[in-house]
Amino acid sequence: EMVDSQAKGIVHNAHSRKLVAPLALTVFVWIFMMNAMDLLPVDLLPSIWHQAGPALGAKDYLRVVPTADLSITMGLSLSVLLICLYYNVKIKGAGGWIHELLTAPFGDKWFLYPVNFLMQMIEFIAKTVSHGMRLFGNMYAGELVFMLIALLGASWAGFTFGSGLSMLGQILAGSAWAIFHILIITLQAFIFMVLTIVYVTMATEHH
């Protein structure tokens, strides 16, 4: 219902919503689940993979949170770009889209064609890069904070009063950050979903 209400608020064409709403729901659930990997103990899956990976002939390396890897988030944003390009051509036709590339946003004057085309390319690139980088930056920073908090527990090996306080600090800080991070992983999935709806909707509309 949340995704459907967002789609109705942005996409006014009922036919277009038949594509946009399921796409948005898929994006939201997929990214939310990938983000939620950050709530697992930071060394749980790597320690399992440390044993299983080499046995399977794979490298002894595991990145737990997919969205903290730039290749994943940029792959997602590039997928959205390809969908937008497809619908630009499908809705407007190849000729209509090329005409739009040359005439928007500054008007249908031949001497403005290069400027219009350059502005359109900058817009496509900026939207795609910012779409992927926003998700990556937030999740990468959150992962780093989890790792820094986990390092507090390492000082417990000293078995001193100070190291005991560090372990207590790790438990308190880790719990607080995990609770706060639930909001972050949900918000980032929501933002990526809404931007996907907006970009696909823009591709189906004429300037």
Side-chain angles (χ1 to χ4, degrees):
E1 290 177 351
M2 179 267 292
V3 174
D4 188 55
S5 63
Q6 288 294 325
K8 286 180 179 178
I10 299 173
V11 186
H12 303 297
N13 188 306
H15 182 70
S16 297
R17 280 201 302 272
K18 291 181 180 179
L19 162 88
V20 175
L23 173 65
L25 179 60
T26 303
V27 166
F28 177 79
V29 174
W30 193 11
I31 293 179
F32 177 82
M33 296 302 290
M34 288 194 290
N35 290 352
M37 298 289 284
D38 220 357
L39 299 177
L40 295 173
V42 293
D43 57 349
L44 175 62
L45 294 182
S47 63
I48 296 172
W49 187 248
H50 180 69
Q51 304 297 325
L56 296 172
K59 293 182 178 179
D60 187 13
Y61 169 79
L62 178 66
R63 189 62 177 271
V64 177
V65 186
T67 45
D69 191 321
L70 187 58
S71 62
I72 297 295
T73 59
M74 289 306 298
L76 289 168
S77 64
L78 282 171
S79 299
V80 174
L81 173 64
L82 291 175
I83 293 171
C84 291
L85 295 179
Y86 170 76
Y87 272 90
N88 266 307
V89 175
K90 181 180 180 181
I91 301 297
K92 304 165 188 175
W97 183 48
I98 292 172
H99 181 264
E100 184 177 279
L101 288 177
L102 298 175
T103 58
F106 295 125
D108 192 4
K109 303 290 184 181
W110 67 267
F111 55 86
L112 291 175
Y113 287 176
V115 179
N116 288 330
F117 182 77
L118 180 62
M119 291 296 293
Q120 291 276 359
M121 292 302 104
I122 292 174
E123 180 183 344
F124 280 123
I125 294 171
K127 287 192 301 187
T128 303
V129 173
S130 63
H131 203 191
M133 287 294 292
R134 179 184 295 104
L135 178 59
F136 162 74
N138 281 278
M139 298 312 301
Y140 185 71
E143 189 180 44
L144 286 180
V145 173
F146 271 121
M147 291 179 177
L148 291 173
I149 292 173
L151 288 174
L152 282 173
S155 64
W156 181 71
F159 295 102
T160 63
F161 178 74
S163 65
L165 290 178
S166 295
M167 184 183 69
L168 179 62
Q170 179 208 9
I171 295 171
L172 295 176
S175 300
W177 183 249
I179 294 170
F180 177 68
H181 207 61
I182 293 172
L183 172 64
I184 294 176
I185 64 177
T186 307
L187 182 62
Q188 290 307 312
F190 178 78
I191 291 173
F192 199 97
M193 177 201 74
V194 170
L195 289 175
T196 299
I197 296 174
V198 171
Y199 294 160
V200 175
T201 303
M202 289 171 61
T204 62
E205 296 177 348
H206 293 274
H207 281 285

